Amino acid sequence: MADLFKEKSEDWDGNDRRRNLAAAIGRAVKSQITLTADMEVLDFGAGTGLLCSQIAPEVKKIVAADISESMLEKLSAKEALKAKVEIINQDIITHPLAMKFDLIMSAMTLHHVEDTDHLIAVLKANLKPGGHIALADLDAEDGTFHPKDAEGIFHHGFDRDDLAAKMTQAGFTNISFVTAHSIQQDERARAYPVFLMTAKRD
Ligand SMILES: C[S@@+](CC[C@H](N)C(=O)[O-])C[C@H]1O[C@@H](n2cnc3c(N)ncnc32)[C@H](O)[C@@H]1O
């Protein structure tokens, strides 16, 4: 499988917009989920570990799963994460993990997965009973967030009601949304809100 993030990975963390977004999503996760020192967490689409860095100090362990080797190479170079973060370079949708987690979090990866219903089912299967999910992505947008020729973009953000309906259908409860951040693209006038959806597996 082609690594669509090979070029971007080179300076992923050098971009203020991405760092600010991850920090805002991290704050939103902490405000919505009670993090504890015994928690085992999955970061789906962890990339270079920007969200892992926000959450790792407060939990026992994070499994960082991503299909991009180049993004994960950047993560593996972060000394501060070595003690807590296990890296898995695997498509956990086609090759599911046998592990179960207290929390599954994800930042800006949902729109890269074509079949959202299937993804939700896979994530649910990787949650312990009573576990939580915290997924951040773009609210529905008009397709201008990514360049027209960008590869691997399957959704122009998400309608919150549609996503909540999918979560309900999958059996999740306590589904709620907050606005975690608003991305202001430098060269464009408009801003793109980013939600954090949380939910519980009973
Ligand atoms: C926009 S980046 C976000 C990275 C990171 N979460 C952050 O906020 O900086 C999306 C990430 O999702 C990963 N990704 C895309 N499809 C994936 C899949 N099926 N499984 C795991 N990771 C995936 C990409 O490789 C990329 O690292």
Side-chain angles (χ1 to χ4, degrees), residues 58-192:
E58 308 203 20
V59 299
K60 181 180 172 190
K61 174 183 176 169
I62 301 180
V63 171
D66 203 293
I67 53 172
S68 167
E69 196 176 348
S70 58
M71 294 287 268
L72 290 176
E73 268 170 20
K74 299 291 176 191
L75 194 163
S76 70
K78 292 182 178 172
E79 285 299 327
L81 294 180
K82 283 200 174 16
K84 291 241 181 127
V85 178
E86 177 186 345
I87 293 170
I88 298 193
N89 185 193
Q90 175 177 323
D91 187 338
I92 65 161
I93 302 171
T94 52
H95 298 84
L97 296 172
M99 299 171 235
K100 289 197 190 280
F101 300 89
D102 302 291
L103 170 67
I104 298 179
M105 61 182 188
S106 181
M108 304 299 282
T109 301
L110 219 51
H111 64 263
H112 291 293
V113 178
E114 188 165 14
D115 188 341
T116 308
D117 289 302
H118 183 54
L119 172 63
I120 290 169
V122 168
L123 297 183
K124 187 182 173 200
N126 285 117
L127 268 184
K128 296 177 189 172
H132 288 85
I133 212 161
L135 307 179
D137 213 302
L138 293 164
D139 279 296
E141 47 100 9
D142 57 6
T144 56
F145 182 79
H146 293 95
K148 281 211 173 342
D149 57 353
E151 286 182 82
I153 310 297
F154 293 103
H155 306 274
H156 295 147
F158 294 87
D159 178 272
R160 295 185 187 194
D161 290 340
D162 288 350
L163 197 51
K166 289 180 185 301
M167 294 292 286
T168 303
Q169 180 71 27
F172 281 92
T173 61
N174 299 42
I175 302 158
S176 73
F177 289 80
V178 293
T179 298
H181 195 56
S182 186
I183 303 172
Q184 185 76 49
Q185 303 272 43
D186 295 340
E187 68 278 18
R188 298 171 194 150
R190 59 160 295 187
Y192 298 84

